[in-house]
Amino acid sequence: MKPAMETAAEENAEQSQEKKVITRPEMEIGRYHWMYRSSRPHRYHHVPAVRGNVSPLGIQGCFECCIKCLGGVPYASLVATILCFSGVALFCGCGHVALTGTVSILEQHFSTTASDHALLSEVIQLMQYVIYGIASFFFLYGIILLAEGFYTTSAVKELHGEFKTTACGRCISGMFVFLTYVLGVAWLGVFGFSAVPVFMFYNIWSTCEVIKSLQINMTVPGDQICVDIRQYGIIPWNAVPGKACGPILENICNTNEFYMSYHLFIVACAGAGATVIALLIYMMATTYNYAVLKFKSREDCCTKF
């Protein structure tokens, strides 16, 4: 009785060993043969097993490739670059035109002698050249930061095989972090400086509104209300006439130069503020990427030893 049971167990073991394990690729090929009976078996070869997001034929699909590419996009750096380009363009373009209009207003109404505002004209011309340099520099710097964002994002997420970074790459990332912090502080000063002409033009505009309201109410003559540009320090005290009162001041506020310069200075100030926000986003993105790169490089060195 015992030998018969042992013989039956051995036969069952041999039968189970003879059974072939069917893998998923073979099941896919079998299903293809079942759907298309006219296909010939010898045209198909054995394919490797399915791993991850790879298709049964061992090739990544279009959807997987798109997801991988989108995963490597530095969205924070991309938003910061768009905001930085927009802010710098508004600041430089509107600021340049507004400075030209300001010189025209001063020459026609507040300082008729060229020697009185010669220094101011030279300073404004120098500022316009500085605006050209700022626009060119930030165009290149924004592109470089965006490229650095693509590099660090791909390295952090390990999209291209093993994690690989060099000391030179980490040093460059750290340099961009420091430079972005310096530019952020500098642009805070630019933002504050761009608010000064907005304040000056607002005072002139509000004074003109007071003159208009007095003329409507017939309470006090508007000739007694004046605006003296010399008190702002942009022209010397011996400049003639140096101030405008009553109807003359009202006519200045109604000119196209005043209207355009006032609103362009407001837009330039808003552009400087947008640039500050963009640099803050750059600071956060570059600092985070640099910290992760440094941490992963240390982790990689520890695993080697």
Side-chain angles (χ1 to χ4, degrees):
M1 195 67 187
K2 188 175 180 180
M5 293 177 63
E6 292 179 355
T7 304
E10 291 176 358
E11 290 178 358
N12 292 332
E14 291 176 359
Q15 289 177 1
S16 61
Q17 290 178 358
E18 291 177 357
K19 288 182 180 180
K20 184 179 180 181
V21 179
I22 301 176
T23 60
R24 184 174 176 181
E26 293 174 348
M27 292 175 63
E28 294 289 337
I29 295 174
R31 186 177 65 176
Y32 186 87
H33 287 310
W34 179 77
M35 294 176 63
Y36 305 97
R37 297 182 182 276
S38 60
S39 61
R40 298 181 180 179
H42 67 272
R43 291 184 180 178
Y44 307 98
H45 304 282
H46 180 73
V47 293
V50 179
R51 293 181 180 177
N53 294 326
V54 184
S55 65
L57 297 179
I59 304 173
Q60 278 192 337
C62 181
F63 179 76
E64 287 81 5
C65 292
C66 292
I67 293 299
K68 184 177 180 180
C69 293
L70 290 176
V73 176
Y75 294 101
S77 298
L78 185 61
V79 171
T81 302
I82 296 173
L83 191 61
C84 181
F85 283 172
S86 302
V88 171
L90 289 176
F91 174 79
C92 294
C94 296
H96 185 277
V97 179
L99 288 173
T100 304
T102 303
V103 173
S104 178
I105 293 172
L106 289 174
E107 291 177 349
Q108 294 176 9
H109 304 285
F110 294 99
S111 180
T112 56
T113 306
S115 59
D116 293 338
H117 59 271
L119 179 61
L120 178 64
S121 299
E122 293 179 358
V123 171
I124 289 178
Q125 188 176 7
L126 179 63
M127 291 175 62
Q128 289 177 337
Y129 286 122
V130 171
I131 284 174
Y132 297 147
I134 290 174
S136 303
F137 172 77
F138 271 90
F139 177 76
L140 295 175
Y141 189 70
I143 293 177
I144 293 173
L145 279 183
L146 185 61
E148 197 266 345
F150 272 101
Y151 160 73
T152 52
T153 303
S154 300
V156 167
K157 295 185 178 180
E158 304 180 10
L159 295 176
H160 305 290
E162 298 179 355
F163 174 80
K164 293 181 180 179
T165 184
T166 59
C168 181
R170 294 192 299 273
C171 181
I172 292 174
S173 297
M175 182 192 68
F176 279 123
V177 172
F178 174 76
L179 186 58
T180 306
Y181 270 88
V182 172
L183 290 174
V185 174
W187 267 96
L188 283 175
V190 173
F191 176 65
F193 178 76
S194 63
V196 174
V198 177
F199 172 73
M200 294 171 54
F201 273 84
Y202 174 75
N203 286 338
I204 298 174
W205 174 81
S206 62
T207 306
C208 292
E209 292 297 319
V210 171
I211 294 174
K212 291 179 182 179
S213 64
L214 291 177
Q215 290 177 353
I216 294 173
N217 298 327
M218 298 294 181
T219 55
V220 180
D223 296 340
Q224 299 179 3
I225 300 176
C226 303
V227 170
D228 194 345
I229 297 297
R230 294 172 296 186
Q231 65 182 351
Y232 295 108
I234 58 178
I235 57 175
W237 282 103
N238 58 356
V240 178
K243 64 179 182 178
C245 303
I248 299 176
L249 180 61
E250 187 177 359
N251 292 331
I252 293 173
C253 294
N254 292 330
T255 58
N256 292 328
E257 288 85 0
F258 180 85
Y259 180 83
M260 289 296 297
S261 298
Y262 179 36
H263 289 83
L264 287 175
F265 273 126
I266 293 175
V267 176
C269 184
T275 306
V276 172
I277 295 174
L279 290 173
L280 288 176
I281 298 174
Y282 274 136
M283 287 182 202
M284 292 185 289
T286 53
T287 305
Y288 171 78
N289 289 333
Y290 175 74
V292 174
L293 284 176
K294 192 173 182 180
F295 175 77
K296 282 185 171 288
S297 63
R298 290 180 179 178
E299 187 179 17
D300 187 61
C301 292
C302 292
T303 53
K304 286 182 180 180
F305 294 100

